[in-house]
Every structure is written in structure tokens, then in C-alpha cells.
Amino acid sequence: MANVPVTTVVDADVYGGIEGFLLVYSVPTLKNDGRHVIPSYVNDQTLPPDGGDFCVVNPVTATRRGTNVEAWKRKADDDTLDYLEYLETTWQIDCYSASPVRAMRMATTLETTIRSPVGVAFFRPKSIDCLFADAPINLSGLLDSGKYVSRWQLTAHFGYWKKVTVKSEYFDSLRINVVNVDSAFPPQ
């Protein structure tokens, strides 16, 4: 396992992959204008002004799967050690629409596509493993505007290798001096 190919992946990469996936595979189609796929917990973010369908994406967990893998590197004056860990990360995707049927259709289509070879192939070039999605659930209710909005939620699971590089001094040669232990270190 020491030859694990690693591309440094961060949450922004996962979010970018999910955003791209939603823009390509959502049915009904989401507008690609930066306002219909919304990262959660962003200050001053407003809902789409057209009242159309949109998704809110939220990271939920990052769970270690397995133990560290160590990879030593020796370059001129750069002795480093890479610690690799495989993370499973879950992302909540909330599909909103004025139409309950459209929100449910969007969530179920995304869940089906994430569970397919299409989802795996979409995320593979980003060094992200598309694992699976949980069944969508209905969380419809009132928004701040006082209007009823349909909201269907699914949780998607992804995996990737995280890398932490640390400086580490080590040696690559020894000078051995053989001595008689009893004479070099006499008993007391």
C-alpha cells in the first residue's frame, strides 16, 4: 500500500466536483450562473431571484477509513515524510423547487446517478471516489419569505486520499565501530 497514488484533495475540490456534477446531471437542469448551486454557510448569499430550482450543498462529515500510510521521500536537502489517510466525506445536497414533484425528481435522479458508473467516472479525474448516496428524504416547509417550498435532501458519500507532509530527519548510512562491551562498558 506504500505506492498509493495521491493528489492533494481539499474540501473546495470536492465542492467544485459536486457543483459540476449537479450542473451536468440535475433533472430538471440547474442554471449555471453561480446562483443555483449554493454552498451552505456562505455569508450574504441570496436565493436565486428567478424563484427557480436550486440546490444547497453542505459538507457534513470527514471520517478516517483505515490507518496512516507513510511515504518517505529523500531529495537534496529536503527530507520529508508524507502521512496519507483515506477520508470518507459526506455531503448533504438539498434540492429546492416551488414544485414538490420537481424537487423530488431532482433528488432521486441525483441519487441514482451518484450510485452509477456515470458518477464514478465523473469524479475519478478529480481524484475523488464517488461511493454512494443515501435515499432522498422530504424536508419541505416554509422559507423566510412565508412561501411553501419543496425540499428534498440526499446525502452523498465520497472518498479521497489526504496528504500531510512533515519534515523528518533521518540517516541513510552508518559508521560501525565494533567494541568489546565488557571492556568499553565495565560492570559496576
Side-chain angles (χ1 to χ4, degrees):
M1 186 126 186
N3 294 325
V4 174
V6 173
T7 302
T8 301
V9 176
V10 296
D11 284 345
D13 298 326
V14 180
Y15 173 79
I18 294 169
E19 179 183 36
F21 186 82
L22 294 175
L23 292 171
V24 172
Y25 293 105
S26 288
V27 176
T29 304
L30 295 170
K31 291 182 183 176
N32 186 3
D33 62 359
R35 301 185 80 177
H36 288 78
V37 177
I38 303 169
S40 65
Y41 303 114
V42 174
N43 289 329
D44 301 324
Q45 180 73 43
T46 60
L47 299 179
D50 61 8
D53 303 327
F54 65 97
C55 288
V56 177
V57 180
N58 181 33
V60 179
T61 65
T63 306
R64 168 192 294 272
R65 296 292 181 216
T67 59
N68 286 349
V69 176
E70 295 180 0
W72 294 89
K73 291 186 201 173
R74 172 110 177 137
K75 298 178 187 170
D77 298 329
D78 182 24
D79 299 333
T80 61
L81 171 62
D82 288 342
Y83 289 108
L84 311 174
E85 72 172 318
Y86 191 78
L87 288 178
E88 179 182 341
T89 181
T90 57
W91 290 70
Q92 174 182 316
I93 302 169
D94 293 313
C95 303
Y96 289 87
S97 179
S99 162
V101 173
R102 289 171 63 95
M104 181 183 70
R105 184 173 168 209
M106 190 182 327
T108 57
T109 300
L110 291 170
E111 184 252 348
T112 300
T113 312
I114 287 170
R115 288 177 168 259
S116 75
V118 171
V120 172
F122 183 88
F123 285 96
R124 182 178 295 129
K126 299 166 183 16
S127 299
I128 299 169
D129 299 327
C130 182
L131 302 175
F132 65 95
D134 297 331
I137 58 174
N138 186 353
L139 297 173
S140 299
L142 295 174
L143 286 182
D144 292 341
S145 64
K147 293 182 181 178
Y148 183 82
V149 175
S150 184
R151 171 185 170 202
W152 280 75
Q153 178 188 90
L154 70 134
T155 303
H157 298 251
F158 302 95
Y160 63 91
W161 284 96
K162 175 185 171 188
K163 177 171 71 171
V164 176
T165 301
V166 295
K167 278 293 244 187
S168 182
E169 295 181 9
Y170 61 95
F171 59 89
D172 56 10
S173 65
L174 295 173
R175 189 178 75 194
I176 299 174
N177 185 12
V178 179
V179 297
N180 182 315
V181 173
D182 290 333
S183 60
F185 305 100
Q188 302 202 9

